[in-house]
């Protein structure tokens, strides 16, 4: 039996949520509290926002470059979000997981569903992936939050609400749901969940506790 109590295979933690649920804030805080989590830097065709850095926040690439990378099979998943492409690179994820590191992916629902489909045919992905979904406490609360963004018109609020309703309908595709009613609590729940998932026997090497 090894003395290294942390010895195990890595996890791929995939987090999605409906628009307006505060997913980015929750994910950002979870990453601060669990700095050992590996982070996969995605490719995107959107422009960097002020303060963002190439190679840290995203790899900012052109549409042509993105298409070539699709053709070369470099992505585990990719999706079009708000008219831009976003994709997770295989080499950002697979090697880290194989070396025992947990990797955190904050991606949209289309991307998460692609990883689930890929996991059906890939033993490593199947055994390492865990899917977490963030939902708002209620639709009326979500509507209030969306209205809180003063920049949006009534039509935009209604459109965002309809989109969010559609997104929420995918909740059963995920393994775990976190309700973001209170930010602190949602963050604590996600951190606790990740810590608990690390204890799963299925991720430990077969001979981990052979005596
Ligand atoms: P933003 O442009 O605000 O950084 O991200 C917009 C949306 O794209 C977010 O919902 C984010 O989770 C999603 N996203 C970021 N990276 C990826 C990725 O690699 N793949 C997919 N499918 N979605 C992503």
């Amino acid at each position: 039996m090894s003395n290294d109590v942390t010895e195990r295979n890595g996890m791929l933690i995939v987090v999605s949520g409906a628009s307006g649920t505060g997913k980015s804030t929750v994910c950002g805080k979870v990453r601060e509290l669990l700095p050992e989590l590996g982070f996969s830097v995605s490719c995107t065709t959107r422009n960097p926002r002020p303060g963002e850095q190439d190679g840290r926040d995203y790899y900012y690439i052109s549409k042509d470059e993105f298409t070539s990378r699709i053709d070369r099979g470099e992505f585990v998943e990719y999706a079009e979000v708000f008219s831009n492409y976003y994709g997770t690179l295989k080499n950002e994820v697979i090697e880290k997981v194989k070396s025992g590191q947990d990797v955190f992916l904050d991606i949209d629902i289309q991307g998460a569903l692609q990883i689930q489909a890929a996991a059906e045919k890939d033993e490593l992905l199947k055994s390492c992936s865990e899917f977490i979904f963030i939902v708002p406490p209620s639709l009326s609360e979500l509507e209030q939050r969306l209205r809180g963004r003063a920049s949006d018109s009534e039509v935009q609020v209604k459109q965002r609400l309809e989109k969010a309703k559609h997104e929420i309908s995918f909740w059963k595709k995920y393994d775990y749901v976190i309700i973001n009613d209170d930010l602190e609590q949602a963050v604590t729940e996600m951190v606790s969940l990740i810590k608990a998932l690390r204890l799963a026997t299925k991720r430990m090497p077969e001979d981990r506790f052979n005596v």
Side-chain angles (χ1 to χ4, degrees):
M1 186 157 74
S2 159
N3 287 328
D4 177 1
V5 288
T6 61
E7 186 188 318
R8 60 179 178 79
N9 298 327
M11 287 191 281
L12 182 61
I13 303 155
V14 183
V15 183
S16 318
S19 335
T21 49
K23 178 184 66 153
S24 319
T25 314
V26 174
C27 290
K29 292 205 177 287
V30 167
R31 286 180 52 210
E32 273 172 29
L33 291 168
L34 298 175
E36 72 281 12
L37 280 181
F39 180 65
S40 160
V41 180
S42 295
C43 289
T44 183
T45 59
R46 81 152 163 77
N47 292 324
R49 296 187 186 125
E52 289 184 346
Q53 254 178 43
D54 187 42
R56 186 193 67 186
D57 299 289
Y58 284 104
Y59 298 113
Y60 301 93
I61 60 175
S62 66
K63 270 201 173 138
D64 282 350
E65 172 72 16
F66 202 99
T67 314
S68 311
R69 287 179 175 229
I70 296 174
D71 294 343
R72 292 201 294 267
E74 291 184 19
F75 294 114
V76 192
E77 63 76 33
Y78 65 90
E80 196 180 341
V81 185
F82 306 128
S83 318
N84 282 304
Y85 286 97
Y86 292 81
T88 308
L89 291 164
K90 282 182 186 159
N91 64 12
E92 284 280 320
V93 167
I94 305 297
E95 291 313 313
K96 285 182 186 160
V97 167
K98 275 188 185 162
S99 70
Q101 202 181 3
D102 296 329
V103 179
F104 192 80
L105 280 190
D106 163 0
I107 60 174
D108 88 312
I109 297 166
Q110 308 165 68
L113 296 182
Q114 282 178 45
I115 295 186
Q116 290 180 1
E120 289 303 314
K121 293 175 237 137
D122 183 315
E123 271 311 308
L124 176 75
L125 269 185
K126 192 175 191 153
S127 60
C128 76
S129 331
E130 301 289 351
F131 296 87
I132 305 176
F133 196 61
I134 304 183
V135 291
S138 66
L139 281 181
S140 54
E141 173 68 29
L142 179 66
E143 190 168 352
Q144 267 183 25
R145 286 184 195 174
L146 293 174
R147 285 191 196 288
R149 298 179 183 177
S151 55
D152 288 356
S153 67
E154 181 60 25
V155 175
Q156 279 172 321
V157 170
K158 288 265 180 283
Q159 280 172 348
R160 283 183 192 273
L161 198 60
E162 282 314 307
K163 183 164 178 268
K165 277 190 201 170
H166 175 68
E167 289 168 337
I168 293 168
S169 72
F170 287 92
W171 70 276
K172 283 191 186 163
K173 299 270 182 194
Y174 288 72
D175 302 313
Y176 307 94
V177 172
I178 291 194
I179 304 170
N180 185 14
D181 187 1
D182 174 78
L183 176 64
E184 291 263 303
Q185 194 183 335
V187 171
T188 306
E189 282 177 2
M190 198 185 289
V191 167
S192 311
L193 173 59
I194 292 171
K195 286 185 176 172
L197 289 171
R198 287 177 173 157
L199 307 178
T201 51
K202 71 174 180 184
R203 253 176 244 105
M204 295 180 187
E206 293 240 340
D207 59 353
R208 176 66 183 83
F209 294 108
N210 282 359
V211 285

